[in-house]
Structures are given as structure tokens and as C-alpha cells.
Short mmCIF file of all heavy atoms in Angstrom, two decimals:
data_model
loop_
_atom_site.label_atom_id
_atom_site.label_comp_id
_atom_site.label_asym_id
_atom_site.label_seq_id
_atom_site.Cartn_x
_atom_site.Cartn_y
_atom_site.Cartn_z
N ALA Y 3 -6.95 -22.15 13.52
CA ALA Y 3 -6.30 -20.88 13.22
C ALA Y 3 -5.38 -20.48 14.30
O ALA Y 3 -4.31 -19.79 14.09
CB ALA Y 3 -7.40 -19.80 13.01
N LEU Y 4 -5.72 -20.82 15.53
CA LEU Y 4 -4.92 -20.37 16.72
C LEU Y 4 -3.96 -21.43 17.25
O LEU Y 4 -3.40 -21.21 18.29
CB LEU Y 4 -5.88 -19.88 17.79
CG LEU Y 4 -6.77 -18.67 17.40
CD1 LEU Y 4 -7.65 -18.30 18.56
CD2 LEU Y 4 -5.92 -17.50 16.94
N SER Y 5 -3.82 -22.55 16.55
CA SER Y 5 -2.92 -23.53 17.06
C SER Y 5 -1.45 -23.07 16.96
O SER Y 5 -0.60 -23.56 17.74
CB SER Y 5 -3.05 -24.83 16.26
OG SER Y 5 -2.84 -24.64 14.87
N GLU Y 6 -1.12 -22.16 16.06
CA GLU Y 6 0.18 -21.62 15.93
C GLU Y 6 0.07 -20.07 15.81
O GLU Y 6 0.39 -19.48 14.81
CB GLU Y 6 0.87 -22.13 14.78
CG GLU Y 6 1.12 -23.64 14.72
CD GLU Y 6 1.84 -24.08 13.48
OE1 GLU Y 6 2.79 -23.39 13.04
OE2 GLU Y 6 1.43 -25.15 12.95
N PRO Y 7 -0.45 -19.37 16.85
CA PRO Y 7 -0.72 -17.99 16.77
C PRO Y 7 0.43 -17.10 16.35
O PRO Y 7 0.25 -16.12 15.54
CB PRO Y 7 -1.28 -17.56 18.09
CG PRO Y 7 -0.77 -18.64 19.06
CD PRO Y 7 -0.71 -19.88 18.22
N ARG Y 8 1.66 -17.38 16.79
CA ARG Y 8 2.77 -16.53 16.51
C ARG Y 8 3.19 -16.71 15.05
O ARG Y 8 3.97 -15.89 14.55
CB ARG Y 8 3.94 -16.88 17.38
CG ARG Y 8 3.60 -16.52 18.92
CD ARG Y 8 4.80 -16.79 19.77
NE ARG Y 8 4.53 -16.49 21.15
CZ ARG Y 8 5.35 -16.64 22.13
NH1 ARG Y 8 6.62 -17.09 21.93
NH2 ARG Y 8 5.02 -16.31 23.37
N VAL Y 9 2.76 -17.80 14.37
CA VAL Y 9 3.06 -17.97 12.96
C VAL Y 9 1.89 -17.50 12.12
O VAL Y 9 2.08 -16.77 11.11
CB VAL Y 9 3.29 -19.48 12.70
CG1 VAL Y 9 3.48 -19.73 11.21
CG2 VAL Y 9 4.47 -20.02 13.47
N VAL Y 10 0.62 -17.74 12.57
CA VAL Y 10 -0.54 -17.36 11.78
C VAL Y 10 -0.69 -15.89 11.76
O VAL Y 10 -0.98 -15.30 10.69
CB VAL Y 10 -1.78 -18.01 12.43
CG1 VAL Y 10 -3.06 -17.49 11.70
CG2 VAL Y 10 -1.72 -19.52 12.33
N LEU Y 11 -0.48 -15.14 12.87
CA LEU Y 11 -0.69 -13.72 12.83
C LEU Y 11 0.11 -12.94 11.86
O LEU Y 11 -0.35 -12.16 11.03
CB LEU Y 11 -0.51 -13.15 14.31
CG LEU Y 11 -0.90 -11.65 14.50
CD1 LEU Y 11 -2.32 -11.42 14.06
CD2 LEU Y 11 -0.74 -11.32 15.96
N PRO Y 12 1.50 -13.20 11.80
CA PRO Y 12 2.24 -12.48 10.74
C PRO Y 12 1.93 -12.94 9.38
O PRO Y 12 2.07 -12.17 8.38
CB PRO Y 12 3.73 -12.94 11.09
CG PRO Y 12 3.71 -13.39 12.51
CD PRO Y 12 2.38 -14.00 12.71
N THR Y 13 1.44 -14.17 9.20
CA THR Y 13 1.01 -14.66 7.88
C THR Y 13 -0.08 -13.89 7.35
O THR Y 13 -0.31 -13.80 6.08
CB THR Y 13 0.72 -16.24 8.00
OG1 THR Y 13 1.85 -16.92 8.38
CG2 THR Y 13 0.22 -16.76 6.67
N LEU Y 14 -0.97 -13.42 8.20
CA LEU Y 14 -2.15 -12.76 7.73
C LEU Y 14 -1.95 -11.56 6.77
O LEU Y 14 -2.75 -11.38 5.83
CB LEU Y 14 -3.03 -12.23 8.92
CG LEU Y 14 -3.82 -13.22 9.68
CD1 LEU Y 14 -4.54 -12.54 10.88
CD2 LEU Y 14 -4.92 -13.81 8.75
N ILE Y 15 -0.85 -10.85 6.97
CA ILE Y 15 -0.57 -9.68 6.10
C ILE Y 15 -0.35 -10.19 4.69
O ILE Y 15 -0.84 -9.56 3.74
CB ILE Y 15 0.60 -8.87 6.62
CG1 ILE Y 15 0.84 -7.62 5.80
CG2 ILE Y 15 1.87 -9.76 6.69
CD1 ILE Y 15 -0.21 -6.61 5.88
N PHE Y 16 0.37 -11.20 4.50
CA PHE Y 16 0.65 -11.82 3.22
C PHE Y 16 -0.66 -12.35 2.53
O PHE Y 16 -0.95 -12.19 1.37
CB PHE Y 16 1.68 -12.91 3.27
CG PHE Y 16 3.11 -12.44 3.64
CD1 PHE Y 16 3.49 -12.63 4.94
CD2 PHE Y 16 3.88 -11.77 2.73
CE1 PHE Y 16 4.74 -12.23 5.30
CE2 PHE Y 16 5.13 -11.31 3.10
CZ PHE Y 16 5.59 -11.49 4.40
N VAL Y 17 -1.44 -13.07 3.38
CA VAL Y 17 -2.68 -13.64 2.89
C VAL Y 17 -3.66 -12.59 2.44
O VAL Y 17 -4.29 -12.68 1.42
CB VAL Y 17 -3.25 -14.55 3.96
CG1 VAL Y 17 -4.65 -15.14 3.51
CG2 VAL Y 17 -2.34 -15.78 4.26
N VAL Y 18 -3.78 -11.57 3.26
CA VAL Y 18 -4.77 -10.51 2.93
C VAL Y 18 -4.33 -9.75 1.73
O VAL Y 18 -5.16 -9.40 0.88
CB VAL Y 18 -4.96 -9.54 4.12
CG1 VAL Y 18 -5.79 -8.35 3.75
CG2 VAL Y 18 -5.59 -10.24 5.30
N LEU Y 19 -3.08 -9.44 1.67
CA LEU Y 19 -2.55 -8.78 0.38
C LEU Y 19 -2.84 -9.57 -0.87
O LEU Y 19 -3.23 -9.08 -1.84
CB LEU Y 19 -1.04 -8.57 0.56
CG LEU Y 19 -0.59 -7.27 1.22
CD1 LEU Y 19 0.93 -7.44 1.57
CD2 LEU Y 19 -0.82 -6.02 0.52
N ALA Y 20 -2.60 -10.86 -0.74
CA ALA Y 20 -2.74 -11.75 -1.88
C ALA Y 20 -4.20 -11.93 -2.21
O ALA Y 20 -4.57 -11.86 -3.45
CB ALA Y 20 -2.14 -13.20 -1.62
N GLU Y 21 -5.11 -12.01 -1.24
CA GLU Y 21 -6.48 -12.23 -1.55
C GLU Y 21 -7.07 -10.98 -2.23
O GLU Y 21 -7.83 -11.10 -3.14
CB GLU Y 21 -7.32 -12.47 -0.18
CG GLU Y 21 -6.93 -13.92 0.31
CD GLU Y 21 -7.75 -14.25 1.51
OE1 GLU Y 21 -8.39 -13.37 2.19
OE2 GLU Y 21 -7.85 -15.48 1.87
N GLU Y 22 -6.67 -9.81 -1.83
CA GLU Y 22 -7.12 -8.62 -2.43
C GLU Y 22 -6.56 -8.48 -3.86
O GLU Y 22 -7.23 -8.06 -4.81
CB GLU Y 22 -6.77 -7.37 -1.62
CG GLU Y 22 -7.46 -7.30 -0.25
CD GLU Y 22 -8.92 -7.52 -0.32
OE1 GLU Y 22 -9.60 -6.93 -1.25
OE2 GLU Y 22 -9.44 -8.30 0.53
N THR Y 23 -5.33 -8.82 -4.00
CA THR Y 23 -4.66 -8.75 -5.35
C THR Y 23 -5.33 -9.75 -6.31
O THR Y 23 -5.52 -9.35 -7.51
CB THR Y 23 -3.16 -9.11 -5.26
OG1 THR Y 23 -2.59 -8.08 -4.38
CG2 THR Y 23 -2.47 -9.02 -6.56
N ILE Y 24 -5.62 -11.03 -5.85
CA ILE Y 24 -6.11 -11.96 -6.77
C ILE Y 24 -7.62 -11.69 -7.10
O ILE Y 24 -8.01 -11.49 -8.18
CB ILE Y 24 -5.98 -13.36 -6.21
CG1 ILE Y 24 -4.51 -13.69 -5.93
CG2 ILE Y 24 -6.62 -14.46 -7.02
CD1 ILE Y 24 -4.30 -14.91 -5.05
N TRP Y 25 -8.41 -11.71 -6.03
CA TRP Y 25 -9.87 -11.76 -6.24
C TRP Y 25 -10.58 -10.43 -6.44
O TRP Y 25 -11.51 -10.26 -7.14
CB TRP Y 25 -10.57 -12.53 -5.11
CG TRP Y 25 -10.29 -14.05 -5.20
CD1 TRP Y 25 -10.82 -14.85 -6.13
CD2 TRP Y 25 -9.33 -14.79 -4.43
NE1 TRP Y 25 -10.23 -16.11 -5.96
CE2 TRP Y 25 -9.39 -16.12 -4.93
CE3 TRP Y 25 -8.48 -14.45 -3.39
CZ2 TRP Y 25 -8.62 -17.14 -4.39
CZ3 TRP Y 25 -7.72 -15.45 -2.81
CH2 TRP Y 25 -7.77 -16.80 -3.40
N ARG Y 26 -10.03 -9.37 -5.70
CA ARG Y 26 -10.59 -7.98 -5.87
C ARG Y 26 -9.87 -7.21 -6.85
O ARG Y 26 -10.36 -6.20 -7.34
CB ARG Y 26 -10.75 -7.31 -4.55
CG ARG Y 26 -12.07 -7.46 -3.83
CD ARG Y 26 -12.35 -8.80 -3.30
NE ARG Y 26 -11.53 -9.09 -2.16
CZ ARG Y 26 -11.58 -10.27 -1.56
NH1 ARG Y 26 -12.34 -11.30 -2.01
NH2 ARG Y 26 -10.82 -10.54 -0.50
N GLY Y 27 -8.66 -7.60 -7.22
CA GLY Y 27 -7.80 -6.90 -8.17
C GLY Y 27 -7.89 -7.51 -9.58
O GLY Y 27 -8.62 -7.11 -10.44
N ALA Y 28 -7.08 -8.56 -9.76
CA ALA Y 28 -6.97 -9.15 -11.10
C ALA Y 28 -8.31 -9.74 -11.61
O ALA Y 28 -8.68 -9.45 -12.69
CB ALA Y 28 -5.83 -10.18 -11.13
N LEU Y 29 -8.95 -10.58 -10.75
CA LEU Y 29 -10.13 -11.29 -11.20
C LEU Y 29 -11.28 -10.30 -11.43
O LEU Y 29 -11.92 -10.40 -12.47
CB LEU Y 29 -10.52 -12.35 -10.22
CG LEU Y 29 -11.77 -13.10 -10.56
CD1 LEU Y 29 -11.63 -13.86 -11.83
CD2 LEU Y 29 -12.17 -14.10 -9.38
N LEU Y 30 -11.53 -9.47 -10.42
CA LEU Y 30 -12.67 -8.56 -10.59
C LEU Y 30 -12.46 -7.62 -11.73
O LEU Y 30 -13.45 -7.34 -12.48
CB LEU Y 30 -12.84 -7.80 -9.27
CG LEU Y 30 -14.08 -6.81 -9.19
CD1 LEU Y 30 -15.32 -7.59 -9.41
CD2 LEU Y 30 -14.02 -6.11 -7.81
N GLY Y 31 -11.25 -7.18 -11.92
CA GLY Y 31 -11.04 -6.21 -13.09
C GLY Y 31 -11.25 -6.97 -14.40
O GLY Y 31 -11.79 -6.40 -15.31
N ALA Y 32 -10.80 -8.20 -14.55
CA ALA Y 32 -11.01 -8.94 -15.76
C ALA Y 32 -12.50 -9.30 -16.01
O ALA Y 32 -12.98 -9.16 -17.14
CB ALA Y 32 -10.21 -10.29 -15.64
N LEU Y 33 -13.18 -9.63 -14.90
CA LEU Y 33 -14.61 -9.89 -15.11
C LEU Y 33 -15.43 -8.71 -15.57
O LEU Y 33 -16.41 -8.83 -16.26
CB LEU Y 33 -15.17 -10.51 -13.75
CG LEU Y 33 -14.73 -11.89 -13.36
CD1 LEU Y 33 -15.24 -12.20 -11.97
CD2 LEU Y 33 -15.29 -12.92 -14.37
N ARG Y 34 -15.01 -7.57 -15.15
CA ARG Y 34 -15.72 -6.34 -15.47
C ARG Y 34 -15.60 -5.96 -17.01
O ARG Y 34 -16.36 -5.16 -17.46
CB ARG Y 34 -15.18 -5.13 -14.64
CG ARG Y 34 -15.65 -5.25 -13.25
CD ARG Y 34 -15.60 -3.85 -12.54
NE ARG Y 34 -16.60 -3.02 -13.10
CZ ARG Y 34 -16.60 -1.67 -12.88
NH1 ARG Y 34 -15.66 -1.08 -12.17
NH2 ARG Y 34 -17.55 -0.95 -13.40
N THR Y 35 -14.74 -6.66 -17.60
CA THR Y 35 -14.58 -6.47 -19.11
C THR Y 35 -15.89 -6.89 -19.80
O THR Y 35 -16.31 -6.31 -20.72
CB THR Y 35 -13.40 -7.24 -19.65
OG1 THR Y 35 -12.16 -6.84 -18.97
CG2 THR Y 35 -13.22 -6.99 -21.19
N ASP Y 36 -16.49 -7.95 -19.33
CA ASP Y 36 -17.65 -8.53 -19.98
C ASP Y 36 -18.92 -8.56 -19.11
O ASP Y 36 -19.97 -9.00 -19.60
CB ASP Y 36 -17.39 -10.02 -20.44
CG ASP Y 36 -16.25 -10.10 -21.49
OD1 ASP Y 36 -16.27 -9.30 -22.43
OD2 ASP Y 36 -15.37 -10.92 -21.25
N HIS Y 37 -18.84 -8.12 -17.90
CA HIS Y 37 -19.99 -8.14 -16.97
C HIS Y 37 -20.22 -6.77 -16.36
O HIS Y 37 -19.27 -6.04 -16.11
CB HIS Y 37 -19.77 -9.25 -15.93
CG HIS Y 37 -19.57 -10.60 -16.52
ND1 HIS Y 37 -20.64 -11.37 -16.98
CD2 HIS Y 37 -18.43 -11.37 -16.62
CE1 HIS Y 37 -20.15 -12.55 -17.43
NE2 HIS Y 37 -18.75 -12.56 -17.19
N GLU Y 38 -21.43 -6.53 -16.00
CA GLU Y 38 -21.73 -5.37 -15.16
C GLU Y 38 -21.16 -5.53 -13.75
O GLU Y 38 -20.91 -6.66 -13.35
CB GLU Y 38 -23.24 -5.21 -15.07
CG GLU Y 38 -23.92 -4.84 -16.39
CD GLU Y 38 -23.52 -3.47 -16.91
OE1 GLU Y 38 -23.27 -2.62 -16.13
OE2 GLU Y 38 -23.47 -3.34 -18.15
N ALA Y 39 -20.95 -4.45 -13.10
CA ALA Y 39 -20.24 -4.48 -11.76
C ALA Y 39 -20.90 -5.40 -10.84
O ALA Y 39 -20.21 -6.24 -10.16
CB ALA Y 39 -20.19 -3.05 -11.20
N PRO Y 40 -22.24 -5.44 -10.56
CA PRO Y 40 -22.81 -6.32 -9.59
C PRO Y 40 -22.47 -7.81 -9.95
O PRO Y 40 -22.24 -8.61 -9.03
CB PRO Y 40 -24.33 -6.03 -9.63
CG PRO Y 40 -24.35 -4.62 -10.15
CD PRO Y 40 -23.30 -4.53 -11.18
#
């Protein structure tokens, strides 16, 4: 992770935005259509 810190650190904002959008946004919302929240 730290072999290219000046590249990795700015990348984190895009990665975190994408991870929340994909797995906690689109996927979780779709799964809740047929499953209980837990």
C-alpha cells in the first residue's frame, strides 16, 4: 500500500466513494428487496 504513497493516498477518495456506491449503495439496496436488513 505504501510503495507509492503519493499515488495511493489521492486514489483512496475514488476507491472509498466507489466501494460505498457499489456495495453499500447499489448492492445493499437491491438485496433488501428480497432479504431482511441483517
Side-chain angles (χ1 to χ4, degrees):
L4 299 180
S5 60
E6 298 179 41
R8 294 183 181 180
V9 177
V10 173
L11 188 55
T13 297
L14 279 177
I15 184 69
F16 294 102
V17 172
V18 172
L19 275 168
E21 289 184 344
E22 296 309 316
T23 300
I24 298 166
W25 288 285
R26 263 72 70 186
L29 179 61
L30 184 55
L33 288 172
R34 289 202 67 194
T35 303
D36 297 313
H37 302 283
E38 294 294 328

